[in-house]
Amino acid sequence: MSKGSFPRFPRSPRAGRPGRPAGFRTPVVVTVAALIPAGVAGWLLWDAEADGGEKAPVAAASSASPASPGRSPASQAPSRPSSPEGKAPSANGSSGAPDPSPAAADDGPLPDGPLKGKVVVVDPGHNLRNSEHTAEIDRSVDIGTGRKECDTTGTSTDDGYAEASFSLDVAHRLRTILRSQGAKVVFTHDGERPYGPCVDERAAIGNRAHADAAVSVHADGSAVGNRGFHVILPASVKGGRADTSPIVGPSKELGVRIAGHFVRVTHSAASNYIGGGTGLDTRGDLGGLNLSTVPKVFIECGNMRDPQDAALLTDGAWRQKAAQGIADGITDFLDG
């Protein structure tokens, strides 16, 4: 997508730009209220100089999102139940834009575009066959500050549409958009593996690719009435193999821009149960973030266990909007 085809957030100056001394950065406030239809979502305030593990002061969420309850500790984050027992998860949601062919999406030279020369790693959350390999995905792996299970099965809607199917579908759409702008897109998996990959390997794939940005696509599994999306940012973590200090700042910038464009394109509200209406959450217990050496965020596009959110997540046309919003945020971050 070319410049000017979507509203751009003010960008913080980056070190090494002409006319600015190395290391120069000024505080930047990003306000997405002007880009969000009235009553759709709250607005975000972000200070680029703020510590990566803390959020800057945030205005109250709009009336579209109920008051946010207290956030449980990261170790007690909303669980991700597996698909209902005995019900085969659907490979696709309801009608909408068709899934692009993975092979077709990867074939051919990259066009010239605003992302020419950029590498984006897309990490489709979970794997549809994880439930067939519980022993493998239950084994613990090093996440830098401790150990955690290799992967989980993910959640699903009450009708059996699996998070793994959702995330892979959105990832395919996202890849098509990013490639059309010239980006090289690397997947952590494309449904071809028997399970996983494990969370540490997902991070390693982005690191090996020297990605300019990495995004892990998910949908949440929380209580009915909990609605909206949120973007998970890496906390400031240092221990074992984990040291997020180089990526906390750029990851936060990436996350803010994805959140703003996701709201603008999908008209979804920021989460009413995580992030205090900001659409942002910071966590230090996720191996995919802890072990990353490149700017990376997770996005939980909605709550599969809430009927209203599930109606969106299972709609192909809405998933196309979700992919577009994520892509626009990535482009805004990289095309500066």
Side-chain angles (χ1 to χ4, degrees), residues 51-54 143-145 203 207 232-252 282-298:
D51 179 77
E54 299 292 336
I143 64 166
T145 56
N207 299 343
I232 303 174
L233 314 174
S236 184
V237 169
K238 189 169 185 178
R241 294 194 294 135
D243 182 4
T244 61
S245 55
I247 68 162
V248 164
S251 295
K252 192 170 189 178
T282 301
R283 290 177 60 173
D285 67 321
L286 299 176
L289 296 180
N290 287 358
L291 300 176
S292 181
T293 60
V294 300
K296 184 174 182 179
V297 298
F298 283 42

Side-chain angles (χ1 to χ4, degrees), residues 175-243:
R175 177 171 61 188
T176 298
I177 297 168
L178 292 173
R179 282 180 54 88
S180 74
Q181 298 180 65
K184 176 183 178 181
V185 180
V186 177
F187 270 25
T188 58
H189 76 98
D190 201 0
E192 80 288 1
R193 299 175 58 121
Y195 65 90
C198 296
V199 294
D200 56 342
E201 185 179 352
R202 290 172 187 263
I205 291 169
N207 299 343
R208 289 195 298 266
H210 302 290
D212 296 288
V215 177
S216 189
V217 180
H218 289 263
D220 210 354
S222 189
V224 173
N226 290 345
R227 297 198 60 199
F229 79 94
H230 63 279
V231 178
I232 303 174
L233 314 174
S236 184
V237 169
K238 189 169 185 178
R241 294 194 294 135
D243 182 4

Side-chain angles (χ1 to χ4, degrees), residues 292-315:
S292 181
T293 60
V294 300
K296 184 174 182 179
V297 298
F298 283 42
I299 181 167
E300 300 278 4
C301 296
N303 175 20
M304 300 198 96
R305 292 298 185 173
D306 177 82
Q308 294 182 75
D309 269 12
L312 299 176
L313 298 167
T314 55
D315 180 69

